[in-house]
């Protein structure tokens, strides 16, 4: 699934390759992806065709492509969706739900396996885009907001919950999910159930540094996988952990810090954590 680092790499790619281009043709293969922004496919086609892309922004894992006439194209790739740049002549694959081509060449394909995609996309007035996309206005975006470690410390004290749940709560932090919350906690040496309000100054700084390091490393990994046209590959299709991950998807494998096997624990419904019982406190 896409989390903040992969989406930021995509945003930078779109900023370089799509901003300044005008949209030519729009093909919506799957009607459900236009909701809740539009009632039907023709509404999205009409809103996109002929518009020029003026900026590429991101908040959490949602991409906002600002168009002319104060409109914004919202792209939420959902749980398992992905976005690829393609040549204008590339045929839509079986998992492609939206194809958008540009007048001076190139195309964007929105894809997700299965017939019931979690992708949502539509065009809204720029000033209402964040709200329309359901992005929590109070959530901290670790990259976009670039807090100081002291601001981050105050944020953790206010949040006052188990670290894993604070890091993955979209009303508190925008863009972190199951993968990088586990990676950040392992890097910081802090357990998933350590209370966010009871961290020492040293632990806050460790968590802050871990968050920055993990995001930067993941962006490098996503950048290199983008070159292989596999931008969405945080984990492979067969569930194998990607090379840059230290704990996520590695249950039973030795911890790369202390060699004790990594364990996978259910925290609550739908939320699991990969962690080391020995070297995280
Ligand atoms: Zn360990």
């Amino acid at each position: 699934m896409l989390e903040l680092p992969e989406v930021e790499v995509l945003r930078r790619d779109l900023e370089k390759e799509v901003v300044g281009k005008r949209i030519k043709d729009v093909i919506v293969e799957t009607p459900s992806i236009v909701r809740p922004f539009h009632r039907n496919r023709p509404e999205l086609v009409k809103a996109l065709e002929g518009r020029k892309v003026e900026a590429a922004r991101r908040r959490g894992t949602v991409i906002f492509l600002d168009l002319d006439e104060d409109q914004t194209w919202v792209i939420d790739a959902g749980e398992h969706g992905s976005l690829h740049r393609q040549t204008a002549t590339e045929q839509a694959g079986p998992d492609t739900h939206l194809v958008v081509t540009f007048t001076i060449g190139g195309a964007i394909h929105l894809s997700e396996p299965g017939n019931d995609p979690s992708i949502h996309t539509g065009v809204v007035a720029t000033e209402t885009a964040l709200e329309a996309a359901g992005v929590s206005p109070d959530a901290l975006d670790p990259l976009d907001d670039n807090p100081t470690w002291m601001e981050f410390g105050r944020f953790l004290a206010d949040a006052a919950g188990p670290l894993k749940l604070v890091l993955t709560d979209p009303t508190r932090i925008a863009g972190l999910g199951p993968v990088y919350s586990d990676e950040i906690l392992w890097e910081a040496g802090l357990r998933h159930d350590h209370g966010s309000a009871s961290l020492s100054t040293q632990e806050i700084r460790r968590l802050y540094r871990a968050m920055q390091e993990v995001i930067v490393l993941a962006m490098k990994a996503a950048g290199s996988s983008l070159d292989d046209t596999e931008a969405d590959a945080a984990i492979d299709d067969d569930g194998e952990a990607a090379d840059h991950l230290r704990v996520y998807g590695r249950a039973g494998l030795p911890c790369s810090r202390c060699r004790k096997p990594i364990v996978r624990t259910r925290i609550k419904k739908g939320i699991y954590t990969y962690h080391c019982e020995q070297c995280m406190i």
Side-chain angles (χ1 to χ4, degrees):
M1 109 176 233
L2 298 175
E3 293 187 26
L4 188 152
E6 291 88 14
V7 179
E8 175 60 14
V9 168
L10 273 175
R11 187 202 67 79
R12 291 180 184 187
D13 184 57
L14 292 171
E15 187 166 65
K16 219 166 50 201
E17 302 294 339
V18 170
V19 168
K21 289 188 175 178
R22 199 172 282 281
I23 294 165
K24 189 177 166 215
D25 294 315
V26 178
I27 301 165
V28 186
E29 301 279 359
T30 309
S32 66
I33 64 165
V34 310
R35 296 190 201 103
F37 305 102
H38 305 285
R39 278 169 302 180
N40 51 43
R41 292 189 273 189
E43 270 191 20
L44 174 65
V45 173
K46 187 161 173 278
L48 280 176
E49 277 183 353
R51 298 272 66 79
K52 187 178 175 189
V53 181
E54 296 189 330
R57 296 183 288 127
R58 177 195 60 76
R59 189 75 190 169
T61 54
V62 183
I63 284 177
F64 298 91
L65 293 177
D66 290 330
L67 310 171
D68 52 359
E69 301 188 357
D70 298 321
Q71 300 290 297
T72 293
W73 177 12
V74 177
I75 303 171
D76 181 349
E79 292 279 304
H80 305 291
S82 61
L83 189 160
H84 296 281
R85 275 193 305 106
Q86 300 282 7
T87 60
T89 52
E90 178 77 27
Q91 292 291 311
D95 296 333
T96 303
H97 304 289
L98 177 75
V99 174
V100 173
T101 60
F102 298 94
T103 53
I104 53 172
I108 288 177
H109 288 202
L110 260 180
S111 310
E112 182 173 342
N115 298 322
D116 187 22
S118 58
I119 293 169
H120 294 288
T121 188
V123 177
V124 296
T126 299
E127 58 181 345
T128 65
L130 280 174
E131 197 187 339
V135 175
S136 179
D138 301 323
L140 179 81
D141 184 305
L143 214 54
D144 214 18
D145 298 335
N146 194 20
T148 64
W149 76 266
M150 283 199 287
E151 286 165 348
F152 188 57
R154 279 195 293 275
F155 165 85
L156 292 168
D158 288 347
L163 282 175
K164 169 81 177 181
L165 296 185
V166 170
L167 292 180
T168 53
D169 179 351
T171 68
R172 295 198 177 278
I173 296 194
L176 294 182
V179 179
Y180 295 112
S181 56
D182 281 353
E183 293 297 310
I184 289 166
L185 289 173
W186 182 86
E187 188 65 39
L190 293 168
R191 276 179 63 93
H192 57 89
D193 52 1
H194 201 126
S196 72
S198 60
L199 296 171
S200 68
T201 302
Q202 210 179 14
E203 287 166 343
I204 292 168
R205 296 184 77 141
R206 232 163 57 209
L207 184 60
Y208 177 75
R209 204 163 44 233
M211 184 170 71
Q212 292 180 318
E213 284 173 7
V214 165
I215 289 172
V216 168
L217 189 71
M219 283 176 60
K220 280 194 186 135
S224 57
S225 67
L226 194 64
D227 296 337
D228 308 332
T229 66
E230 279 297 331
D232 51 329
I235 53 170
D236 300 339
D237 293 341
D238 56 3
E240 286 293 306
D243 289 347
H244 69 289
L245 301 179
R246 311 293 287 274
V247 277
Y248 185 84
R250 296 179 59 85
L253 296 171
C255 169
S256 52
R257 197 159 43 212
C258 75
R259 311 314 291 169
K260 196 166 161 86
I262 300 295
V263 292
R264 178 177 185 261
T265 303
R266 181 180 181 275
I267 297 183
K268 60 182 207 183
K269 194 170 183 285
I271 300 187
Y272 293 83
T273 181
Y274 291 91
H275 65 117
C276 176
E277 295 279 7
Q278 186 157 282
C279 67
M280 297 166 76
I281 55 163

